[in-house]
Amino acid sequence: MIIDLKDKVAIVTGASRGIGAAIAKTLGASGAHVIVNYRTQTDLAQAVADDITAHGGSAEIMGFDVADDQAVRACFKAVTDRHGRIDILVNNAGISKDALMLRVKPEDFDAVVQVNLKGAFICAFHASRSMIKQHAGRIINISSIVGLGGNAGQSVYASAKAGLIGLTKSLAKELGSRGILVNAVAPGLIETDMTRGMDVISMGAGIPLGRVGRPEDVAGVVLFLCSDLGSYITGQVIVVDGGLYA
C-alpha cells in the first residue's frame, strides 16, 4: 500500500534538523503540505522546505517559539486561514540540559519543561481546535525511551519526556470521540547532532539490531501513525530503539 497524504496539512515543530527534519521530509514525500517550524535556524528550516519542494512536495517555513502561547495561536491561525485546516501536528521540538540532579539549576529545569512539555501542550491545544471542527486529526508527540526508563544525569529531560507520555494518553481519551488520534513515539539512541562526535559504532554494538538508529527510522513510524494504516491506534507509545530495551 502506498501512503498518500495528499491534501493534508502537517505542522512539524523543531523541524530544521535531526528527527524533525526527517519527519518533515517524509510527510512531504507522501503528499502532505508541511509547515516546517523553527525557532532560530531560518536557513536550516528553509533548506528542509527546499528539499521537500525539490522532490515534488509542498512546504513552507514558519518561525515561532512553541512555548509562546500568543505566537503559536497567531501562527496556527495563519495556517488555517491560508490552508483551511490542520490535519497533522508532530510535537518534536525539544531541548536537553543534562546534569546530575544535584547540579541542575532551577532555570534549566524550567527551560526544558517549557519547550518539551508545555510547548507540546500549547501546540496541541491550538491544533485541536481546528481538528475538532474537521472531526479528524492526528497528534504525534515525540517522547523518548528516557521518559520510559529514566537515565542518570537526565532527570530533567526524563521528567519532561515522561510528562509527554501522560499528556498523550490523556488527550487520546479526551479527543478520541472527536476523531482525533493522539500517540507518542519514543526513540532510543538516534544519530543526530546530539550524538555527532560520539563513537556510534561502539554504541550500536550494544543494540540488538547492531546499529544506532537514523532519524528516518523514527520518521517512518510517524508516517504510519499519520496514515489510514494507523486509524485504530490512539493513546499508545511506540518505541523505536532497535531492541535496546526489549
Side-chain angles (χ1 to χ4, degrees), residues 60-84:
E60 63 186 282
I61 66 172
M62 186 168 285
F64 59 85
D65 181 347
V66 296
D68 183 336
D69 180 71
Q70 293 301 317
V72 174
R73 181 193 304 270
C75 288
F76 280 36
K77 182 179 185 301
V79 172
T80 55
D81 286 348
R82 189 177 306 145
H83 302 289

Side-chain angles (χ1 to χ4, degrees), residues 19 187-192 194-195 212-215 217-218 240-241:
I19 292 173
L189 191 58
I190 305 296
E191 193 169 357
T192 63
M194 293 177 67
T195 58
V212 171
R214 295 181 292 264
D217 295 322
V218 181
V240 184
D241 70 348

Side-chain angles (χ1 to χ4, degrees), residues 12 17 70 72 117 148 152 154 172 178 181 216 220 232 234 240:
V12 183
R17 58 181 181 171
Q70 293 301 317
V72 174
L117 183 54
L148 289 167
Q154 290 190 298
R178 308 298 186 95
L181 309 184
E216 292 75 17
Y232 199 58
T234 194
V240 184

Side-chain angles (χ1 to χ4, degrees), residues 15 24 43 50-51 55 67 75 79 81 85 88 93 99 104 111 117 124 133 144 151-152 175 178 196 227 233 240:
D43 292 346
D50 289 346
D51 183 270
H55 288 85
C75 288
V79 172
D81 286 348
R85 58 194 301 114
I88 297 165
V104 172
L117 183 54
K133 294 177 183 177
S144 169
N151 196 34
L175 300 174
R178 308 298 186 95
R196 188 164 291 124
S227 75
I233 300 172
V240 184

Side-chain angles (χ1 to χ4, degrees), residues 18-240:
I19 292 173
I23 291 171
K25 292 176 184 179
T26 298
L27 296 181
S30 298
H33 176 74
V34 183
I35 312 298
V36 179
N37 163 253
Y38 67 97
R39 189 171 67 88
T40 58
Q41 297 178 310
T42 310
D43 292 346
L44 292 180
Q46 188 61 59
V48 172
D50 289 346
D51 183 270
I52 293 171
T53 56
H55 288 85
S58 176
E60 63 186 282
I61 66 172
M62 186 168 285
F64 59 85
D65 181 347
V66 296
D68 183 336
D69 180 71
Q70 293 301 317
V72 174
R73 181 193 304 270
C75 288
F76 280 36
K77 182 179 185 301
V79 172
T80 55
D81 286 348
R82 189 177 306 145
H83 302 289
R85 58 194 301 114
I86 298 173
D87 299 287
I88 297 165
L89 168 66
V90 182
N91 280 315
N92 170 76
I95 62 172
S96 64
K97 292 182 179 291
D98 297 341
L100 294 173
M101 184 187 70
L102 295 179
R103 296 180 180 176
V104 172
K105 299 176 182 178
E107 57 267 30
D108 289 343
F109 185 96
D110 292 342
V112 172
V113 172
Q114 279 279 111
V115 175
N116 296 20
L117 183 54
K118 183 181 178 182
F121 178 88
I122 289 172
C123 290
F125 176 88
H126 291 293
S128 66
R129 295 167 71 88
S130 175
M131 294 175 179
I132 286 171
K133 294 177 183 177
Q134 302 157 193
H135 204 77
R138 306 291 172 91
I139 298 174
I140 315 295
N141 296 319
I142 305 301
S143 181
S144 169
I145 56 171
V146 175
L148 289 167
N151 196 34
Q154 290 190 298
S155 59
V156 178
Y157 184 75
S159 298
K161 290 300 188 179
L164 266 183
I165 292 171
L167 177 65
T168 297
K169 292 182 176 294
S170 295
L171 293 186
K173 290 179 169 64
E174 287 187 23
L175 300 174
S177 64
R178 308 298 186 95
I180 302 169
L181 309 184
V182 187
N183 290 288
V185 176
L189 191 58
I190 305 296
E191 193 169 357
T192 63
D193 288 348
M194 293 177 67
T195 58
R196 188 164 291 124
M198 298 181 183
D199 186 354
V200 294
I201 295 178
S202 295
M203 291 188 295
I207 298 172
L209 291 188
R211 66 173 176 87
V212 171
R214 295 181 292 264
E216 292 75 17
D217 295 322
V218 181
V221 175
V222 173
L223 176 61
F224 166 77
L225 291 171
C226 291
S227 75
D228 290 341
L229 295 173
S231 62
Y232 199 58
I233 300 172
T234 194
Q236 302 305 306
V237 182
I238 299 182
V239 175
V240 184

